[in-house]
Amino acid sequence: RSPPGSLLTAEAMRAAGLLLAWALLRPAGTQQCHLASHGGVLRFTDTHAEIRVPALHRVPSSLDPFYGLVRRCLDLIQQNPLPTELLRAALNDPGSVRTSQVVQYELGYIVCAVVALLFTVAMPVAGICFCYCRSRRRCGGRLHAHRRSLGCRRHCLLACLSLTSLVILASVVCAFVTSQRVKGQMEPGLGAVPATLRTLRQHIANVPQGVQMVVDQFEVPRQQIISDLGGLSRSVGLSIHAQLKAMTYEALADLQNRAGDLQTSLHHLQILDKTARALASARAELEPALRERRRRVVALLDDPRCTSCASVLGRAQSLELGADYGKVPSVEKVLKALAGLPRIDFAEMIRQGNGTFNSIPELAVERMAQVIQDLRDEMARVTEKVQSIADGFPLSDYTRPVSEALVKAEDRSQPYLREVERFEQYRWIAGTVLCSIILLILACNVTGMALGAYGLSKRKDPSDYECRGEAGAKFLLVGVGLAFLFSWLLVLLVFATFLVGGNIQTLVCRNWVNQEIYKFIDTPGNLPPSMNLSRQLNLRRDSNLSTAYRECKSGAGLWEVLQLDRSYDLDEHLKTPKYAADFQKRLGDFTARLGDVRLLRSEGRQDLETFARSGVDEVDYGRFQEEMKKPVVQTSLPGLARSLEGLQKMQVSGGAGGGGCLRAHGSVLTPLSPPQRNGTVAGRLAAEARALWQMQNSTVQSQEALVAKLRESVQFLSRLAPHLQERVKTTLVTTASVEARLPVQAQQILRQEIGCFTRKELRYFAQYLNWVGQTLREDVASCQPLATALDNGRVILCDRIADPWNAFWFSLGCCTFFLIPNIIFAVRLTKHFRPIRNRLM
């Protein structure tokens, strides 16, 4: 029980305990900032995708093996490397070109031209001779006699002509397909030249705008950093609170326990002193009364008239006091030392300390408000610094020659492209017509062979046989005539397309793939001054077309290949410290004391020290315990009173039963002892018994209650005393240590959190600057479109146009070549379809 006048009531201590329990169990609600944490990934807008030059690639085709065969044939025809000397002379001084040089390089094509010329002359001459022979009935006439070997020869001629027709058919189908592919690729391919040049000009012209759009994207990291700054101070405060709350709450709980020990000990010491005094006073009052009562009971029991009283006499004679609390140690000195304690309200002090500690997040917000505002202002200055990337970008003056060169190339290419388109239209028309004639020849062959074979099967009917056989022979001769008539045109078309396509493949495409053309252009003196590409494109002095092509293809920026006199270094402009140094310095210089929490005031410390020096642990509580083991009265008053009542009741039983003391046991009365014969003695026995009961109930029981109360206090104090000084000392040391460590550790956590925050925000800076460098190099101000345009030109010219072009003349050439055996087999076969003049039976 708490004393009425207690300064620290049990209710107040319970409330403080509930407050601490709530603080310990309450979730911290903080965002832990770990040193290894990474900032989020920033998402930037794709700013320049509309001006990219899409890369073209060779599309796999089922005709690729055929294209490879044609290229290998051209490599056999033209085995000479790039004619460097011839090209240099042709470009610088066309009049100095010697015919022998051209013949030496084009020897393979000249041989083919001779063959084509011979074929062109021979076929018409052969056709004229054939016509003359037919007029003289010498070619394509009838057989004079039937022999057994004619059937085998006829079948052989039919098979050869059929096989030849199949080869021609396959070739003409390939010619049709490849011709259509050339036509399908020529129009978009020619259109891609000015479109690519315009795209390159737009790419270069839009570089300043694109650079500004990239710089404007700094708004993304700026907004993210501003957002992070808004939660920095509270995050720091919550982190400090979360990491220090276990230590702080443990110290407050320990302090609360010592305050409770002080208040409870003071309460029990007061009880101890008051109870010991009350017991000593009660003993002094009880001693004469007990002595008088013992004398009277002993005298009564020693009376000869008292029957059977000798057995109780010994107990009555030992009727005397037991415990003597006047001999226990006095606690007045301890109480005097503790007088006036506690001088401070520990519950209120603990509540205030807990409140101060829990207010650290709000305190952090208050203390960091100014530096947060400074950092926001610094972000505005960083935005101005980032703008210098666009302001200092130097391409506008250095890309003018490139733009002018592209405009000039676009203007000059238009007439040539129109001529090429017109030539391609003529080629397609001529190719379609001649391929149709070849199909007509094949139709004549098939019709002639069908009618002739049908006529041979009807030999038993002479009229039907002669009619159909003659018709079949005439169809074959019509096909022969068409072959003679148009074969020279086929040869001319084949040679014209072969000469163009073959030279494009061997002179341009083959040397474009192995980059021999770039080496030729880069060699000084090969090109005339008016065609100096390095000067026209304003390339670096130490660079050339091959180097620029490789650098552009690997993703270099325009400013890295142009002649800028090394005046602009993008990597230098994209270094993070250039923009984040002041931001980082402001965070690094920031300091604030956030852990100044007063857990124990000087008055409370003095109270606890006084409590430890009060001598509570020096009291001999064993003496109290020894006295408490003794009863208040050595002889049990209730027992003695019951014995006297028993002696008095024997008289009552004797009177009722007629001279004997009987005890009821079931339905039988058993005699116990002789009855009291003297009524006066019996009355005195009853009176003494009542007096003993009265003493027990009025005096002894109250002293026993005081002893029980005293035992509770002694037990508490005896348990507390051995560890009192150690616990108080530990509490004082722990509290002082926590008060000293709180600001130090709070400062460490503050530096750790700010360092983590700084690294996170610097990653945003670095992420943005890396994106700027990558976007400028690969997209906005990249020279990769130049390399892509060159690669696209090779793909369009060589892979999409030259390959089917060469496959076209190769297929048409196969048709033309196989017309020769077709003519021979057709002419020979006509004799077998016509009726035999003299049939041998």
Side-chain angles (χ1 to χ4, degrees), residues 595-650:
D596 292 338
V597 179
R598 190 72 177 274
L599 303 180
L600 182 61
R601 299 177 188 171
S602 58
E603 296 88 348
R605 180 178 297 275
Q606 292 175 4
D607 285 354
L608 292 180
E609 291 175 349
T610 302
F611 177 43
R613 296 194 305 266
S614 63
V616 175
D617 55 334
E618 298 175 359
V619 177
D620 187 1
Y621 299 103
R623 295 284 302 277
F624 284 92
Q625 293 171 349
E626 290 177 2
E627 293 300 324
M628 284 187 295
K629 291 177 182 178
K630 300 176 184 180
V632 176
V633 180
Q634 291 289 357
T635 301
S636 174
L637 294 181
L640 182 57
R642 281 192 290 270
S643 297
L644 294 180
E645 289 174 349
L647 293 176
Q648 181 266 334
K649 287 180 181 179
M650 288 192 299

Short mmCIF file of all heavy atoms in Angstrom, two decimals, residues 595-650:
data_model
loop_
_atom_site.label_atom_id
_atom_site.label_comp_id
_atom_site.label_asym_id
_atom_site.label_seq_id
_atom_site.Cartn_x
_atom_site.Cartn_y
_atom_site.Cartn_z
N GLY A 595 20.74 15.41 -30.52
CA GLY A 595 20.60 14.37 -29.50
C GLY A 595 20.72 14.87 -28.08
O GLY A 595 21.00 14.07 -27.17
N ASP A 596 20.59 16.18 -27.84
CA ASP A 596 20.70 16.72 -26.47
C ASP A 596 19.41 16.42 -25.71
O ASP A 596 18.45 17.19 -25.72
CB ASP A 596 20.95 18.23 -26.52
CG ASP A 596 22.32 18.54 -27.08
OD1 ASP A 596 23.19 17.65 -27.02
OD2 ASP A 596 22.52 19.65 -27.59
N VAL A 597 19.39 15.29 -25.02
CA VAL A 597 18.22 14.85 -24.25
C VAL A 597 18.64 14.73 -22.78
O VAL A 597 19.62 14.03 -22.46
CB VAL A 597 17.69 13.50 -24.78
CG1 VAL A 597 16.49 13.04 -23.95
CG2 VAL A 597 17.29 13.62 -26.25
N ARG A 598 17.92 15.40 -21.89
CA ARG A 598 18.22 15.35 -20.45
C ARG A 598 17.36 14.26 -19.83
O ARG A 598 16.15 14.41 -19.67
CB ARG A 598 17.91 16.71 -19.81
CG ARG A 598 18.40 16.85 -18.38
CD ARG A 598 19.92 16.97 -18.36
NE ARG A 598 20.43 17.16 -17.02
CZ ARG A 598 20.55 18.34 -16.43
NH1 ARG A 598 20.17 19.43 -17.09
NH2 ARG A 598 21.05 18.45 -15.22
N LEU A 599 18.00 13.15 -19.48
CA LEU A 599 17.25 12.04 -18.89
C LEU A 599 17.15 12.16 -17.38
O LEU A 599 16.13 11.77 -16.79
CB LEU A 599 17.93 10.71 -19.25
CG LEU A 599 18.12 10.40 -20.75
CD1 LEU A 599 18.79 9.05 -20.92
CD2 LEU A 599 16.78 10.42 -21.46
N LEU A 600 18.18 12.69 -16.72
CA LEU A 600 18.22 12.74 -15.25
C LEU A 600 18.75 14.11 -14.84
O LEU A 600 19.90 14.45 -15.13
CB LEU A 600 19.12 11.63 -14.70
CG LEU A 600 19.22 11.53 -13.18
CD1 LEU A 600 17.86 11.26 -12.55
CD2 LEU A 600 20.21 10.44 -12.78
N ARG A 601 17.92 14.87 -14.11
CA ARG A 601 18.36 16.17 -13.62
C ARG A 601 19.24 16.00 -12.40
O ARG A 601 19.30 14.94 -11.79
CB ARG A 601 17.14 17.03 -13.29
CG ARG A 601 16.24 17.31 -14.49
CD ARG A 601 15.03 18.11 -14.07
NE ARG A 601 14.07 18.22 -15.17
CZ ARG A 601 12.85 18.72 -15.03
NH1 ARG A 601 12.46 19.16 -13.83
NH2 ARG A 601 12.04 18.78 -16.06
N SER A 602 19.88 17.10 -12.02
CA SER A 602 20.81 17.04 -10.87
C SER A 602 20.07 16.71 -9.58
O SER A 602 20.60 15.97 -8.73
CB SER A 602 21.54 18.37 -10.75
OG SER A 602 20.61 19.45 -10.57
N GLU A 603 18.83 17.20 -9.41
CA GLU A 603 18.08 16.88 -8.19
C GLU A 603 17.78 15.38 -8.12
O GLU A 603 17.91 14.76 -7.05
CB GLU A 603 16.76 17.66 -8.16
CG GLU A 603 16.93 19.17 -8.07
CD GLU A 603 17.04 19.78 -9.45
OE1 GLU A 603 17.23 19.01 -10.42
OE2 GLU A 603 16.96 21.03 -9.56
N GLY A 604 17.39 14.80 -9.27
CA GLY A 604 17.14 13.36 -9.28
C GLY A 604 18.39 12.56 -9.02
O GLY A 604 18.36 11.54 -8.31
N ARG A 605 19.51 13.03 -9.60
CA ARG A 605 20.77 12.33 -9.35
C ARG A 605 21.13 12.39 -7.86
O ARG A 605 21.56 11.38 -7.26
CB ARG A 605 21.88 12.94 -10.21
CG ARG A 605 23.25 12.30 -10.04
CD ARG A 605 24.25 12.95 -10.98
NE ARG A 605 23.88 12.73 -12.36
CZ ARG A 605 24.21 11.63 -13.04
NH1 ARG A 605 24.91 10.67 -12.45
NH2 ARG A 605 23.85 11.50 -14.29
N GLN A 606 20.95 13.56 -7.24
CA GLN A 606 21.24 13.69 -5.81
C GLN A 606 20.32 12.80 -4.98
O GLN A 606 20.74 12.19 -3.99
CB GLN A 606 21.09 15.15 -5.39
CG GLN A 606 22.17 16.07 -5.98
CD GLN A 606 21.92 17.52 -5.64
OE1 GLN A 606 20.99 17.84 -4.90
NE2 GLN A 606 22.77 18.41 -6.17
N ASP A 607 19.05 12.70 -5.38
CA ASP A 607 18.13 11.83 -4.66
C ASP A 607 18.59 10.38 -4.70
O ASP A 607 18.58 9.68 -3.68
CB ASP A 607 16.73 11.94 -5.27
CG ASP A 607 16.04 13.23 -4.87
OD1 ASP A 607 16.61 13.97 -4.05
OD2 ASP A 607 14.95 13.52 -5.43
N LEU A 608 19.01 9.93 -5.88
CA LEU A 608 19.45 8.54 -5.99
C LEU A 608 20.75 8.31 -5.23
O LEU A 608 20.95 7.26 -4.61
CB LEU A 608 19.62 8.17 -7.47
CG LEU A 608 18.32 8.10 -8.30
CD1 LEU A 608 18.64 7.73 -9.75
CD2 LEU A 608 17.35 7.08 -7.70
N GLU A 609 21.66 9.28 -5.29
CA GLU A 609 22.91 9.13 -4.54
C GLU A 609 22.64 9.13 -3.04
O GLU A 609 23.24 8.35 -2.29
CB GLU A 609 23.87 10.27 -4.91
CG GLU A 609 24.39 10.16 -6.35
CD GLU A 609 25.23 11.36 -6.73
OE1 GLU A 609 25.22 12.35 -5.95
OE2 GLU A 609 25.89 11.33 -7.79
N THR A 610 21.75 10.00 -2.59
CA THR A 610 21.38 10.00 -1.16
C THR A 610 20.74 8.69 -0.76
O THR A 610 21.00 8.15 0.31
CB THR A 610 20.41 11.16 -0.89
OG1 THR A 610 21.05 12.39 -1.27
CG2 THR A 610 20.03 11.22 0.58
N PHE A 611 19.92 8.17 -1.64
CA PHE A 611 19.27 6.88 -1.39
C PHE A 611 20.32 5.77 -1.25
O PHE A 611 20.23 4.92 -0.36
CB PHE A 611 18.32 6.60 -2.55
CG PHE A 611 17.63 5.27 -2.47
CD1 PHE A 611 17.09 4.80 -1.25
CD2 PHE A 611 17.49 4.46 -3.59
CE1 PHE A 611 16.45 3.58 -1.18
CE2 PHE A 611 16.85 3.24 -3.51
CZ PHE A 611 16.33 2.79 -2.30
N ALA A 612 21.32 5.81 -2.14
CA ALA A 612 22.35 4.76 -2.06
C ALA A 612 23.20 4.91 -0.80
O ALA A 612 23.66 3.91 -0.23
CB ALA A 612 23.23 4.82 -3.31
N ARG A 613 23.41 6.18 -0.28
CA ARG A 613 24.26 6.39 0.90
C ARG A 613 23.46 6.41 2.20
O ARG A 613 24.03 6.62 3.26
CB ARG A 613 24.98 7.74 0.76
CG ARG A 613 25.95 7.81 -0.40
CD ARG A 613 26.84 9.05 -0.24
NE ARG A 613 26.03 10.26 -0.11
CZ ARG A 613 25.69 11.06 -1.11
NH1 ARG A 613 26.07 10.75 -2.34
NH2 ARG A 613 24.97 12.15 -0.90
N SER A 614 22.17 6.18 2.10
CA SER A 614 21.32 6.34 3.30
C SER A 614 21.52 5.25 4.34
O SER A 614 21.13 5.41 5.50
CB SER A 614 19.85 6.36 2.88
OG SER A 614 19.50 5.12 2.28
N GLY A 615 22.11 4.16 3.96
CA GLY A 615 22.32 3.06 4.91
C GLY A 615 21.22 2.02 4.89
O GLY A 615 21.16 1.19 5.81
N VAL A 616 20.38 2.07 3.88
CA VAL A 616 19.34 1.05 3.78
C VAL A 616 19.96 -0.33 3.73
O VAL A 616 19.42 -1.30 4.30
CB VAL A 616 18.46 1.32 2.54
CG1 VAL A 616 17.43 0.21 2.35
CG2 VAL A 616 17.76 2.66 2.67
N ASP A 617 21.10 -0.45 3.10
CA ASP A 617 21.75 -1.74 2.98
C ASP A 617 22.56 -2.11 4.22
O ASP A 617 23.09 -3.22 4.31
CB ASP A 617 22.66 -1.73 1.75
CG ASP A 617 23.66 -0.60 1.79
OD1 ASP A 617 23.37 0.43 2.43
OD2 ASP A 617 24.74 -0.74 1.17
N GLU A 618 22.69 -1.18 5.19
CA GLU A 618 23.47 -1.49 6.38
C GLU A 618 22.59 -1.97 7.56
O GLU A 618 23.11 -2.39 8.59
CB GLU A 618 24.22 -0.23 6.81
CG GLU A 618 25.22 0.25 5.76
CD GLU A 618 25.87 1.56 6.15
OE1 GLU A 618 25.50 2.09 7.23
OE2 GLU A 618 26.71 2.07 5.37
N VAL A 619 21.30 -1.86 7.44
CA VAL A 619 20.39 -2.32 8.50
C VAL A 619 20.45 -3.84 8.59
O VAL A 619 20.44 -4.53 7.56
CB VAL A 619 18.96 -1.83 8.20
CG1 VAL A 619 17.99 -2.36 9.26
CG2 VAL A 619 18.91 -0.31 8.17
N ASP A 620 20.47 -4.35 9.87
CA ASP A 620 20.52 -5.80 10.09
C ASP A 620 19.09 -6.34 10.05
O ASP A 620 18.41 -6.44 11.07
CB ASP A 620 21.18 -6.10 11.45
CG ASP A 620 21.42 -7.60 11.64
OD1 ASP A 620 21.08 -8.38 10.71
OD2 ASP A 620 21.94 -7.99 12.69
N TYR A 621 18.67 -6.68 8.85
CA TYR A 621 17.31 -7.20 8.71
C TYR A 621 17.21 -8.61 9.24
O TYR A 621 16.10 -9.11 9.46
CB TYR A 621 16.89 -7.15 7.24
CG TYR A 621 16.87 -5.74 6.68
CD1 TYR A 621 17.89 -5.29 5.84
CD2 TYR A 621 15.84 -4.86 6.99
CE1 TYR A 621 17.90 -4.00 5.35
CE2 TYR A 621 15.84 -3.57 6.50
CZ TYR A 621 16.87 -3.15 5.67
OH TYR A 621 16.87 -1.87 5.18
N GLY A 622 18.33 -9.28 9.50
CA GLY A 622 18.29 -10.63 10.09
C GLY A 622 17.73 -10.61 11.51
O GLY A 622 17.05 -11.56 11.92
N ARG A 623 18.03 -9.52 12.26
CA ARG A 623 17.48 -9.41 13.61
C ARG A 623 15.97 -9.32 13.57
O ARG A 623 15.27 -9.90 14.42
CB ARG A 623 18.06 -8.16 14.29
CG ARG A 623 19.58 -8.23 14.52
CD ARG A 623 19.91 -9.16 15.71
NE ARG A 623 19.25 -8.70 16.92
CZ ARG A 623 19.72 -7.76 17.72
NH1 ARG A 623 20.86 -7.16 17.41
NH2 ARG A 623 19.07 -7.41 18.82
N PHE A 624 15.47 -8.58 12.63
CA PHE A 624 14.01 -8.51 12.48
C PHE A 624 13.45 -9.89 12.18
O PHE A 624 12.42 -10.30 12.75
CB PHE A 624 13.65 -7.54 11.35
CG PHE A 624 13.78 -6.09 11.71
CD1 PHE A 624 14.96 -5.40 11.46
CD2 PHE A 624 12.73 -5.42 12.32
CE1 PHE A 624 15.09 -4.06 11.79
CE2 PHE A 624 12.86 -4.07 12.65
CZ PHE A 624 14.05 -3.39 12.39
N GLN A 625 14.11 -10.61 11.29
CA GLN A 625 13.61 -11.92 10.90
C GLN A 625 13.68 -12.91 12.06
O GLN A 625 12.79 -13.76 12.22
CB GLN A 625 14.39 -12.44 9.68
CG GLN A 625 14.14 -11.63 8.42
CD GLN A 625 15.07 -12.01 7.28
OE1 GLN A 625 16.04 -12.74 7.50
NE2 GLN A 625 14.79 -11.50 6.09
N GLU A 626 14.75 -12.80 12.89
CA GLU A 626 14.85 -13.68 14.06
C GLU A 626 13.71 -13.41 15.03
O GLU A 626 13.11 -14.35 15.58
CB GLU A 626 16.20 -13.47 14.74
CG GLU A 626 17.39 -13.99 13.95
CD GLU A 626 18.70 -13.69 14.65
OE1 GLU A 626 18.65 -13.12 15.77
OE2 GLU A 626 19.77 -13.98 14.08
N GLU A 627 13.39 -12.15 15.29
CA GLU A 627 12.32 -11.82 16.22
C GLU A 627 10.97 -12.22 15.65
O GLU A 627 10.08 -12.65 16.39
CB GLU A 627 12.33 -10.33 16.56
CG GLU A 627 13.53 -9.88 17.36
CD GLU A 627 13.64 -10.59 18.71
OE1 GLU A 627 12.58 -10.87 19.31
OE2 GLU A 627 14.77 -10.90 19.11
N MET A 628 10.84 -12.10 14.34
CA MET A 628 9.55 -12.44 13.74
C MET A 628 9.30 -13.94 13.77
O MET A 628 8.16 -14.39 13.65
CB MET A 628 9.51 -11.94 12.29
CG MET A 628 9.28 -10.43 12.19
SD MET A 628 9.02 -9.85 10.50
CE MET A 628 10.60 -10.22 9.77
N LYS A 629 10.38 -14.74 13.92
CA LYS A 629 10.19 -16.17 14.05
C LYS A 629 9.57 -16.54 15.40
O LYS A 629 8.96 -17.59 15.55
CB LYS A 629 11.53 -16.90 13.87
CG LYS A 629 12.09 -16.83 12.47
CD LYS A 629 13.45 -17.51 12.40
CE LYS A 629 14.06 -17.41 11.00
NZ LYS A 629 15.40 -18.03 10.96
N LYS A 630 9.76 -15.66 16.42
CA LYS A 630 9.22 -15.91 17.76
C LYS A 630 7.77 -15.47 17.81
O LYS A 630 7.41 -14.45 17.25
CB LYS A 630 10.04 -15.14 18.81
CG LYS A 630 11.52 -15.51 18.84
CD LYS A 630 12.25 -14.62 19.83
CE LYS A 630 13.76 -14.90 19.82
NZ LYS A 630 14.48 -14.02 20.79
N PRO A 631 6.91 -16.20 18.59
CA PRO A 631 5.52 -15.76 18.74
C PRO A 631 5.42 -14.59 19.69
O PRO A 631 6.35 -14.29 20.43
CB PRO A 631 4.83 -17.01 19.28
CG PRO A 631 5.89 -17.73 20.01
CD PRO A 631 7.18 -17.50 19.28
N VAL A 632 4.29 -13.91 19.64
CA VAL A 632 4.06 -12.80 20.56
C VAL A 632 4.05 -13.30 22.01
O VAL A 632 4.62 -12.70 22.92
CB VAL A 632 2.74 -12.08 20.21
CG1 VAL A 632 2.45 -10.98 21.22
CG2 VAL A 632 2.82 -11.51 18.80
N VAL A 633 3.41 -14.44 22.25
CA VAL A 633 3.36 -15.08 23.56
C VAL A 633 3.87 -16.50 23.38
O VAL A 633 3.47 -17.19 22.44
CB VAL A 633 1.92 -15.09 24.13
CG1 VAL A 633 1.88 -15.75 25.49
CG2 VAL A 633 1.40 -13.66 24.25
N GLN A 634 4.72 -16.94 24.35
CA GLN A 634 5.33 -18.24 24.18
C GLN A 634 4.28 -19.35 24.18
O GLN A 634 4.38 -20.30 23.40
CB GLN A 634 6.35 -18.50 25.33
CG GLN A 634 7.57 -17.62 25.27
CD GLN A 634 8.51 -18.01 24.12
OE1 GLN A 634 8.26 -18.96 23.40
NE2 GLN A 634 9.57 -17.24 23.95
N THR A 635 3.33 -19.26 25.07
CA THR A 635 2.27 -20.28 25.15
C THR A 635 1.08 -19.79 24.38
O THR A 635 0.70 -18.62 24.47
CB THR A 635 1.87 -20.53 26.62
OG1 THR A 635 3.02 -20.96 27.33
CG2 THR A 635 0.78 -21.58 26.70
N SER A 636 0.47 -20.71 23.64
CA SER A 636 -0.68 -20.34 22.84
C SER A 636 -1.85 -20.03 23.74
O SER A 636 -2.35 -20.91 24.48
CB SER A 636 -1.04 -21.48 21.88
OG SER A 636 -2.22 -21.18 21.20
N LEU A 637 -2.30 -18.77 23.72
CA LEU A 637 -3.46 -18.38 24.52
C LEU A 637 -4.71 -19.12 24.10
O LEU A 637 -5.48 -19.58 24.97
CB LEU A 637 -3.65 -16.87 24.44
CG LEU A 637 -2.54 -15.99 25.07
CD1 LEU A 637 -2.89 -14.52 24.93
CD2 LEU A 637 -2.33 -16.35 26.52
N PRO A 638 -5.00 -19.32 22.82
CA PRO A 638 -6.20 -20.08 22.45
C PRO A 638 -6.13 -21.52 22.96
O PRO A 638 -7.14 -22.08 23.40
CB PRO A 638 -6.17 -20.01 20.92
CG PRO A 638 -5.43 -18.77 20.61
CD PRO A 638 -4.37 -18.68 21.66
N GLY A 639 -4.95 -22.12 22.93
CA GLY A 639 -4.85 -23.51 23.39
C GLY A 639 -5.08 -23.62 24.87
O GLY A 639 -5.76 -24.53 25.35
N LEU A 640 -4.49 -22.67 25.61
CA LEU A 640 -4.66 -22.70 27.06
C LEU A 640 -6.11 -22.41 27.42
O LEU A 640 -6.68 -23.05 28.33
CB LEU A 640 -3.73 -21.67 27.71
CG LEU A 640 -3.75 -21.61 29.24
CD1 LEU A 640 -3.40 -22.97 29.86
CD2 LEU A 640 -2.78 -20.53 29.73
N ALA A 641 -6.73 -21.48 26.68
CA ALA A 641 -8.13 -21.18 26.96
C ALA A 641 -9.02 -22.38 26.68
O ALA A 641 -9.96 -22.69 27.44
CB ALA A 641 -8.57 -19.99 26.13
N ARG A 642 -8.76 -23.13 25.62
CA ARG A 642 -9.56 -24.31 25.32
C ARG A 642 -9.36 -25.39 26.38
O ARG A 642 -10.28 -26.14 26.73
CB ARG A 642 -9.20 -24.83 23.93
CG ARG A 642 -9.86 -24.03 22.79
CD ARG A 642 -9.72 -24.74 21.48
NE ARG A 642 -8.33 -24.73 21.00
CZ ARG A 642 -7.82 -23.78 20.23
NH1 ARG A 642 -8.56 -22.77 19.85
NH2 ARG A 642 -6.56 -23.85 19.87
N SER A 643 -8.12 -25.48 26.91
CA SER A 643 -7.90 -26.48 27.97
C SER A 643 -8.69 -26.13 29.21
O SER A 643 -9.30 -27.01 29.86
CB SER A 643 -6.40 -26.55 28.28
OG SER A 643 -5.68 -26.98 27.16
N LEU A 644 -8.70 -24.85 29.59
CA LEU A 644 -9.48 -24.45 30.76
C LEU A 644 -10.96 -24.68 30.50
O LEU A 644 -11.70 -25.12 31.39
CB LEU A 644 -9.23 -22.98 31.07
CG LEU A 644 -7.79 -22.62 31.53
CD1 LEU A 644 -7.67 -21.13 31.80
CD2 LEU A 644 -7.39 -23.42 32.78
N GLU A 645 -11.42 -24.43 29.31
CA GLU A 645 -12.82 -24.68 28.99
C GLU A 645 -13.14 -26.17 29.08
O GLU A 645 -14.23 -26.58 29.49
CB GLU A 645 -13.15 -24.15 27.59
CG GLU A 645 -13.19 -22.64 27.50
CD GLU A 645 -13.39 -22.17 26.06
OE1 GLU A 645 -13.26 -23.02 25.15
OE2 GLU A 645 -13.63 -20.96 25.84
N GLY A 646 -12.18 -26.98 28.73
CA GLY A 646 -12.40 -28.42 28.83
C GLY A 646 -12.55 -28.87 30.28
O GLY A 646 -13.39 -29.71 30.60
N LEU A 647 -11.70 -28.31 31.18
CA LEU A 647 -11.80 -28.65 32.60
C LEU A 647 -13.13 -28.16 33.15
O LEU A 647 -13.77 -28.86 33.97
CB LEU A 647 -10.63 -28.01 33.36
CG LEU A 647 -9.22 -28.56 33.03
CD1 LEU A 647 -8.16 -27.79 33.78
CD2 LEU A 647 -9.13 -30.06 33.39
N GLN A 648 -13.56 -27.00 32.72
CA GLN A 648 -14.82 -26.47 33.23
C GLN A 648 -15.98 -27.30 32.69
O GLN A 648 -16.97 -27.56 33.39
CB GLN A 648 -14.96 -25.01 32.81
CG GLN A 648 -16.24 -24.33 33.29
CD GLN A 648 -17.36 -24.37 32.25
OE1 GLN A 648 -17.06 -24.45 31.08
NE2 GLN A 648 -18.60 -24.39 32.72
N LYS A 649 -15.96 -27.81 31.51
CA LYS A 649 -17.04 -28.59 30.92
C LYS A 649 -17.19 -29.96 31.56
O LYS A 649 -18.24 -30.58 31.48
CB LYS A 649 -16.81 -28.75 29.40
CG LYS A 649 -17.07 -27.45 28.65
CD LYS A 649 -16.83 -27.65 27.18
CE LYS A 649 -17.08 -26.36 26.42
NZ LYS A 649 -16.82 -26.53 24.99
N MET A 650 -16.16 -30.44 32.20
CA MET A 650 -16.31 -31.73 32.89
C MET A 650 -17.31 -31.61 34.01
O MET A 650 -18.07 -32.52 34.30
CB MET A 650 -14.95 -32.20 33.44
CG MET A 650 -13.98 -32.67 32.37
SD MET A 650 -12.55 -33.51 33.05
CE MET A 650 -11.84 -32.21 34.02
#
